[in-house]
Amino acid sequence: MAGAEGGPGDGELWQTWLPNHAVFLRLREGLKNQSSAETKKPASSLPSSPPLPPQLLTRNLVLGLGGELFLWDPEDSSFLVVRLRGPSGVGEEPSLSQYQRLLCINPPLFEIYQVLLSPTQHHVALIGIKGLMILELPKRWGKNSEFEGGKSTVNCSTTPVAERFFTSSTSLTLKHAAWYPSEMLDPHIVLLTSDNVIRIYSLREPQTPTKVIVLSEAEEESLILNKGRAYTASLGETAVAFDFGPLSAVPKHIFGQKGKEEVAAYPLYILYENGETFLTYISLLQSPGSVGKLLGPLPMHPAAEDNYGYDACAVLCLPCVPNILVIATESGMLYHCVVLEGEEEDDQTSEKSWDCRADLVPSLYVFECVELELALRLASGEDEPFDSDFSCPIKLHRDPKCPSRYHCTHEAGVHSVGLTWIHKLHKFLGSDEEDKDSLQELATEQKCFVEHILCTKPLPCRQPAPIRGFWIVPDILGPTMICITSTYECLVRPLLCFTQLRKLMIEFFLRSSEKDMAPPPEECLQLISRATQVFREQYILKQDLAKEEIQRRVKLLCDQKKKQLEDLNYCREERKSLREMAERLADKYEEAKEKQEDIMNRMKKVLHSFHSQLPVLSDSERDMKKELQLIPDQLRHLGNAIKQVTMKKDYQQRKMEKVLSPQKPTITLSAYQRKCIQSILKEE
């Protein structure tokens, strides 16, 4: 393990001590060694070697699992694992020098730009431009449930995927990779390559694809330009990204099978560079699995002349029903599309991929468009205007805690976007057809919130500094963002819920790769002017509006308070009058009760005297007469019984006296017996 001085205090949180951990010092030293090695290369070799595109990619070399953070070390091709919190609470955080290294037995020969954790959380995909490798996480045991009981260095087995395929095809590159989202099956990895083909590989057979989805015809791809690129790629008719939607039930004929039953499958949304979106369904529950027909391009409403841009780069399906697609372009535009069933009059389906016997192609309804400010747009002067437009690929990330929020990473920083209208959309879709209130609420709902969390290109003179890692930790006190900069600096920021007050957090990284180059005073002045404009528009103006709203609300509350005080006084008077009335009613009740008892007693006397004067016996009197007549016979029987009991008593008493009287025993001896006894006594 590496060493570092100091350690966290018992009362500090992991957000405080994590940026000072020894792993980041180790990564920064590796970065310095790599940069020094590149500078020592001979100058003659520089013109012959083409520039590597992975250097400009926004990497994501960080992932989290439980209470641990995994950081990929490109120098040693290993993972550095840091425990964020102790198993027994906050007071047992590890020291700043403790971490584990997960070494690859067969390290990848290509450069890694993204790491992905599998749905079963047992494997990690190491993704590069020229290949992909799967790392299997080792077993855990021990008191703290660490890898192999807490060893400082652990060997991990790695499995290359499609190794022969990428080695034999030198011009082939990997555009996008993702895990198949099912947790019930064996892990499967889905790859999108530059030949416009999606291949699905199983870890049991990593060299042979389980399923292949061809996104273009062979005739079109056979027409290659001089530089080795197909015409379809030049026109943007190649896939650049894809994403899975939540599990849904689809009819069997989607997979070319007979029957009216439904099959559980995952929708796969495929984004092309020209902005078109295709859809297919994948089900691997039953061997060997099924892949549905390629549907699309999905019609977008309202229609646009430029088809919402020609530089699409990323797509994300939010985990909600109906599915909501987020389409990002390199120019910083985000389109929030709701996926709904298509209408019969939509005649935009592709003849080569769709037939009339199946269901209608779903449609994308663009709910809103958002433009991200990738780099700060400085106000240029009148004498020296300049163009500050900046474009770069954007990566989209789901939020693990909030399904209506996602995050964007790019070469200029990090944005966070929250969709506040999703619950209103669900309310409208779940209401009746004639419910116009839900539609009105959805129409008047405030648009999404955009937070510029991190800015790595504050000035036009600065080169882009893509981040190296981004992860959301679902902390108990709220989600926390961990961002690793290009110089391996760790930034920890709590993510506020977008229902709270919007907060603009911009980190200016003036300590970029060009440390010796100071920004000119003109650009510093423009930066200050832009910051002043942002504060005026985003803070002062909104604070003035909030002040007016608060004053109006205070006035309304004062009027309501005055009215409530008047109502309170009226209620007090009413309560006093009700108490007096209650006392009077109580007195009247007591008087009425006494009179009622007096009348009842008088009625009893009248009835008694009335019954006593009747000449005919009543039923009760007749019953009493019969009982009185039977009493002498009963007394006679009781007298006889008493005499019998007395006689028995006397008889028993006499018997007892005879038994208890003592009887003296009498012995009579004959004359002979007396003589014998006397003689014996004399002899003795």
Side-chain angles (χ1 to χ4, degrees), residues 308-314 327-335 392-394:
Y308 296 96
Y310 292 97
D311 54 352
C313 58
I327 299 176
T329 63
E330 294 184 0
S331 58
M333 294 298 298
L334 299 176
Y335 302 101
C392 62
I394 298 175

Side-chain angles (χ1 to χ4, degrees), residues 599-618:
I599 292 173
M600 291 294 296
N601 293 331
R602 291 172 61 186
M603 289 296 296
K604 289 180 181 179
K605 292 180 181 180
V606 170
L607 291 175
H608 180 68
S609 60
F610 177 75
H611 283 290
S612 62
Q613 294 178 3
L614 287 175
V616 181
L617 296 177
S618 61

Side-chain angles (χ1 to χ4, degrees), residues 7-261:
D10 293 339
E12 294 180 5
L13 298 175
W14 64 268
Q15 294 93 334
T16 305
W17 56 260
L18 180 61
N20 300 323
H21 202 277
V23 294
F24 299 105
L25 178 61
R26 176 189 178 93
L27 294 173
R28 283 193 287 269
E29 291 177 354
L31 182 62
K32 291 180 181 178
N33 296 335
Q34 182 181 1
S35 59
S36 60
E38 291 179 357
T39 55
K40 291 180 181 179
K41 291 181 179 180
S44 60
S45 61
L46 293 178
S48 60
S49 59
L52 296 177
Q55 297 293 336
L56 299 178
L57 289 175
T58 300
R59 306 167 188 268
N60 190 12
L61 305 179
V62 177
L63 60 89
L65 178 59
E68 294 175 336
L69 186 67
F70 293 70
L71 298 101
W72 177 256
D73 186 0
E75 185 180 13
D76 297 337
S77 296
S78 63
F79 268 116
L80 307 180
V81 184
V82 181
R83 295 182 64 87
L84 298 182
R85 59 176 69 89
S88 301
V90 181
E92 297 186 4
E93 286 121 354
S95 64
L96 293 179
S97 61
Q98 292 181 354
Y99 60 89
Q100 285 185 289
R101 291 180 61 204
L102 304 183
L103 296 179
C104 298
I105 297 178
N106 181 21
L109 302 178
F110 48 86
E111 188 175 5
I112 305 299
Y113 73 92
Q114 186 181 9
V115 292
L116 284 179
L117 182 65
S118 66
T120 58
Q121 298 183 351
H122 295 157
H123 301 82
V124 177
L126 308 178
I127 305 172
I129 297 295
K130 294 297 295 181
L132 183 140
M133 187 168 287
I134 304 300
L135 181 142
E136 183 178 359
L137 296 178
K139 302 297 183 182
R140 297 175 181 266
W141 62 73
K143 178 181 177 181
N144 298 329
S145 184
E146 296 179 324
F147 293 113
E148 293 190 358
K151 294 181 180 179
S152 60
T153 304
V154 181
N155 288 327
C156 302
S157 62
T158 54
T159 304
V161 177
E163 184 178 20
R164 293 192 300 268
F165 177 68
F166 284 104
T167 304
S168 59
S169 303
T170 57
S171 62
L172 197 68
T173 58
L174 180 60
K175 286 190 173 183
H176 190 74
W179 289 98
Y180 185 72
S182 177
E183 300 179 3
M184 306 300 295
L185 304 174
D186 294 335
H188 289 73
I189 192 77
V190 184
L191 308 182
L192 172 62
T193 52
S194 57
D195 58 351
N196 217 24
V197 177
I198 293 179
R199 296 174 176 87
I200 303 176
Y201 289 88
S202 175
L203 296 190
R204 293 188 176 183
E205 297 180 359
Q207 303 302 328
T208 305
T210 304
K211 293 293 178 183
V212 178
I213 305 175
V214 180
L215 304 179
S216 60
E217 294 183 356
E219 297 179 359
E220 296 180 359
E221 292 298 326
S222 62
L223 301 176
I224 306 298
L225 297 177
N226 296 329
K227 295 183 179 181
R229 192 177 183 186
Y231 284 107
T232 54
S234 302
L235 298 176
E237 297 179 0
T238 57
V240 293
F242 62 86
D243 193 26
F244 286 95
L247 188 65
S248 59
V250 295
K252 276 189 173 182
H253 62 76
I254 293 292
F255 302 100
Q257 302 175 2
K258 297 181 180 180
K260 298 182 179 179
E261 296 82 5

